[in-house]
Amino acid sequence: MFQQQAAKMRLTPQLRKAITILQLSTPELLEVVQQEMNDNPVLEFTGNEWDVYNGTRKFPNAIGRNDQIYDPLQHAPSNEVTLERHLKEQLSFIKKIPPTIRKIITFMIGNLDNNGYLGSSLNEISDVFKVDLAQAELALRILQGFEPVGVGARNLRECLLLQVQSLSECFPLVSVLIRSHLKDVADYRVHKLSTILQVTAQEIKTAIDVIKGLNPRPGAAFHIEAVPYIIPEVIIEKEGEQLVVLIHQAASPRLSVNGYYERMAKDGSDNYEATKFLFGKINSAMFFLKCLEQRRKTIFRVAQAIVEEQTDFFWKGASHLKPMTLKCIADKLNVHESTVSRATAGKYAQTPWGIFELKYFFPSGLQMDLGDPASSERVKARIKEWIHGENHAKPYSDQKLAELMMKEGIQISRRTVNKYREELGISSSLRRKRI
């Protein structure tokens, strides 16, 4: 047993709270602000006026935005016609259905998933209603005759076949492909299918085009979830020959300490307990405001540094995005990498080219012959350009795309091209081939 003095770094509760606030996204921050205002009565909103920082000459900045712009997203009508309601309305129009069959159909409608597929087997349904299998099959056939076509199917194959049967033209080859060769259709194996079925390649392609026109999720149109839209913390705009960095008002709520409670705390010497309570709440509120201000300044400085480093992107587009690391920005701002990571995690920037997460501006790099590395986003942009302009009869293979990259001085393997192509959601050359 011995005594020893040592210096250790410890996170105080205040520092921990400041770090937590910095890494919050805008929706999370607004929730924390609302909770803080509920817990601390001395906090209040102070309006939506513009606050200006002393930015650099090249990158001026404004905090908050007082645009009283009508937001159509706040007034979009809700879609109240659900798939269940739509099907039950059709069922109500059919009068000559036995009560037992009607109950079974109603039960089936309630067991459809969001895509319109029936999740329960006919054996399970017949056991529930204590009826024979033929009655369950009759109920299913009635349900499958409702709109949208394909609803009530138990799998993808059945869903597509129901839609083919409803078409005005007869497509026997399409039905054959769906019944027995759906995997080959998905892989676009035209030559293999034409050999097996003894038909021409053009007939196979025509049949596949018909299958592509079918809807594999007939019930999805009735299942529309509320889509949350992004509130960008940073707005980067072009003004003449300058790039302007702004912090969106919604991402930095303006709060202050209520003056009435401040005066009460100063004048309440007669009531020690009330004065102590108010001073505690005021001190807590002042620290919270300091954390918000520090978060706002940190995000602005990081965004400003990103704009300075990625100037070509904001003027010329994604193909000019260059590789960059968190350490590059951290060294530029003289802060720790973890601070930059927290300031960019879950934060978005509205740019002339769209809305991007701040992490987007830190792409990995690939070596070029001339020395300067090329970002992965630049490579992806070039892949999209080449594939968009390719000859559909002879689409570029991954190896050919890698060779085209080599001609531009970008050292990249076929496997990396394949990875980037899949990340872009682009099919292989075999599937893209058209005659």
Side-chain angles (χ1 to χ4, degrees), residues 304-371:
Q304 191 179 54
I306 289 174
V307 172
E308 290 175 352
E309 293 295 322
Q310 299 284 11
T311 301
D312 288 343
F313 165 84
F314 296 102
W315 288 111
K316 302 176 183 178
S319 61
H320 294 271
L321 192 67
K322 65 180 183 181
M324 188 170 67
T325 61
L326 296 175
K327 188 175 185 302
C328 174
I329 299 298
D331 293 343
K332 187 180 183 69
L333 300 179
N334 196 25
V335 297
H336 197 271
E337 286 183 54
S338 62
T339 301
V340 179
S341 177
R342 293 187 178 98
T344 54
K347 316 295 191 307
Y348 290 83
Q350 178 179 314
T351 74
W353 307 101
I355 295 179
F356 299 92
E357 189 176 5
L358 291 181
K359 292 283 189 181
Y360 173 82
F361 299 105
F362 297 89
S364 57
L366 296 169
Q367 189 60 41
M368 295 185 65
D369 291 340
L370 299 178

Side-chain angles (χ1 to χ4, degrees), residues 191-398:
H191 180 71
K192 176 183 176 181
L193 291 172
S194 63
T195 303
I196 294 174
L197 301 176
Q198 297 297 307
V199 295
T200 65
Q202 186 57 47
E203 289 177 301
I204 295 293
K205 291 176 183 178
T206 302
I208 291 178
D209 289 338
V210 173
I211 295 174
K212 286 185 175 181
L214 304 177
N215 184 4
R217 302 170 59 203
F222 295 87
H223 182 72
I224 301 177
E225 298 180 352
V227 180
Y229 58 97
I230 294 171
I231 303 176
E233 280 80 359
V234 181
I235 300 174
I236 301 167
E237 298 177 342
K238 297 177 181 178
E239 286 193 3
E241 297 182 356
Q242 294 185 342
L243 292 171
V244 181
V245 181
L246 313 170
I247 300 296
H248 199 286
Q249 176 66 32
S252 56
R254 306 300 297 163
L255 305 176
S256 66
V257 176
N258 188 290
Y260 172 76
Y261 289 114
E262 282 189 302
R263 292 191 298 271
M264 183 183 294
K266 293 178 181 178
D267 300 338
S269 55
D270 295 339
N271 192 331
Y272 173 77
E273 291 298 329
T275 303
K276 180 180 178 182
F277 173 81
L278 285 176
F279 270 119
K281 290 296 183 182
I282 290 172
N283 289 336
S284 176
M286 294 300 293
F287 178 75
F288 184 69
L289 295 178
K290 181 180 178 181
C291 291
L292 291 180
E293 186 68 13
Q294 185 62 39
R295 176 185 185 274
R296 192 160 45 237
K297 288 182 177 179
T298 303
I299 293 176
F300 166 68
R301 292 183 63 210
V302 170
Q304 191 179 54
I306 289 174
V307 172
E308 290 175 352
E309 293 295 322
Q310 299 284 11
T311 301
D312 288 343
F313 165 84
F314 296 102
W315 288 111
K316 302 176 183 178
S319 61
H320 294 271
L321 192 67
K322 65 180 183 181
M324 188 170 67
T325 61
L326 296 175
K327 188 175 185 302
C328 174
I329 299 298
D331 293 343
K332 187 180 183 69
L333 300 179
N334 196 25
V335 297
H336 197 271
E337 286 183 54
S338 62
T339 301
V340 179
S341 177
R342 293 187 178 98
T344 54
K347 316 295 191 307
Y348 290 83
Q350 178 179 314
T351 74
W353 307 101
I355 295 179
F356 299 92
E357 189 176 5
L358 291 181
K359 292 283 189 181
Y360 173 82
F361 299 105
F362 297 89
S364 57
L366 296 169
Q367 189 60 41
M368 295 185 65
D369 291 340
L370 299 178
D372 294 332
S375 71
S376 57
E377 294 300 324
R378 175 183 171 183
V379 173
K380 290 179 183 179
R382 293 297 291 142
I383 290 175
K384 287 176 66 176
E385 291 175 9
W386 279 321
I387 292 178
H388 179 72
E390 70 185 359
N391 182 356
H392 295 301
K394 295 181 179 180
Y396 292 129
S397 64
D398 293 339

